[in-house]
Amino acid sequence: MYRPNLMVFVLYFSLECICQSQSAIYSLNYIYTALSKTVELPGIHEFTAMGLMNNRSIDYYDSVAKKKIPKQDWMREKLPADYWEKGTQSRKSKEQWFKVNVEILMKRMMHNSTDVHILQWKHGCEIDQQPDGTLKFMKGIDQYSYDGDDFLAFDDATMQWVAPVVQALPTKRKWDGVQILNQYTKGYLEKECVDWLSKFMEYEEKEFSSADSPPKVYAFAKKAQIAGHVRLTCMATGFYPKDVVMHIKKNGVPLTKHDGVLSTGVLPNDDDTYQIRMSVQIPEADKETYECYVNHDALKEPIVEKWDGKCCDCGSVVGGVIAAVIVIIGVLILVVLIVLHRRGKIVIPGLRTT
């Protein structure tokens, strides 16, 4: 397995930004995925490369279109045409590198060409934005996987490649034998990557600083699997940025996982905003006060949405049964009246007898 020219790696990587509560952690990664052969599935290509920022796609390339394209307006506006032209050439070069090395790994693993095999590469960096705005390097990532299993990873601290499987040892020995390339990899992860990440953060901040979106908050309950209980759910949706605080409160006191609270975590919506749900199971007859508490940067003050004590679907089955019983009783009464009429016991106007 040979190594590609590392100089083409400098400009092209992906950005994934994770903003956690009470922290400003950002990460930057490119993810390249190559299949050993084409599969007849829509949207699945023999080679893809994508950049991610704040869980958003910022650029994309595949082996069909063969063109690196921006996926965010600010990427299109801020980066010049030659950035995308050079990026396209770099992606084409990597596509060929992956094609060769998938075949090398298949032989090394003693895999035949009947099945589809996958080689993936991810590299980038993670930083912590300090209160004064400076960026602190946290860690670098440069790792390969084969068929979903770890194959080779760069240890930034020791400047050595780590081979978790014996088949990766030849590549480790070859790459570790060129220390200048390992020094370059360390420098890229700790400096080049951070510089580009800082620039992308600046571009994104200008784009979205005036586009913060506040959450919409809902509190509702549905019938639980356990009889006599309901599952109370708090949902916040449509907010940006990602960082949010949510609690389900009982009589003003936040409930925790020890009280049975479940959370979906923050999930992306289709419109680049986010959503989160928390739920807890409570007795249907519970008369305590429950409310959803949500705080977000786009809010001037937290939202507190009180549950109205109603269950969305608890009465639906009972109501249906009652309606069915009423219909049946009505039909029985009508049959009895007709029988009595025909026997001459009663007279129903307009109904003839034989």
Side-chain angles (χ1 to χ4, degrees), residues 224-275:
Q225 293 182 349
I226 299 178
H229 288 71
V230 298
R231 179 157 291 280
L232 173 62
T233 299
C234 290
M235 181 178 76
T237 187
F239 57 87
Y240 182 89
K242 184 179 181 181
D243 191 19
V244 68
V245 176
M246 172 182 276
H247 296 297
I248 298 178
K249 291 188 176 183
K250 177 181 179 180
N251 297 329
V253 179
L255 300 179
T256 68
K257 62 181 181 180
H258 300 294
D259 300 304
V261 175
L262 302 177
S263 175
T264 61
V266 178
L267 301 173
N269 290 323
D270 292 337
D271 60 357
D272 289 339
T273 63
Y274 295 91
Q275 64 165 285

Side-chain angles (χ1 to χ4, degrees), residues 329-340:
I329 292 175
V331 171
L332 290 175
I333 292 175
L334 180 60
V335 171
V336 171
L337 290 175
I338 293 174
V339 171
L340 292 176

Side-chain angles (χ1 to χ4, degrees), residues 19 83 138 166 185 188 213:
C19 305
Y83 173 89
M138 300 289 287
V166 66
T185 301
Y188 165 76
S213 177

Side-chain angles (χ1 to χ4, degrees), residues 196 212 253 347:
W196 277 98
D212 290 357
V253 179
V347 176

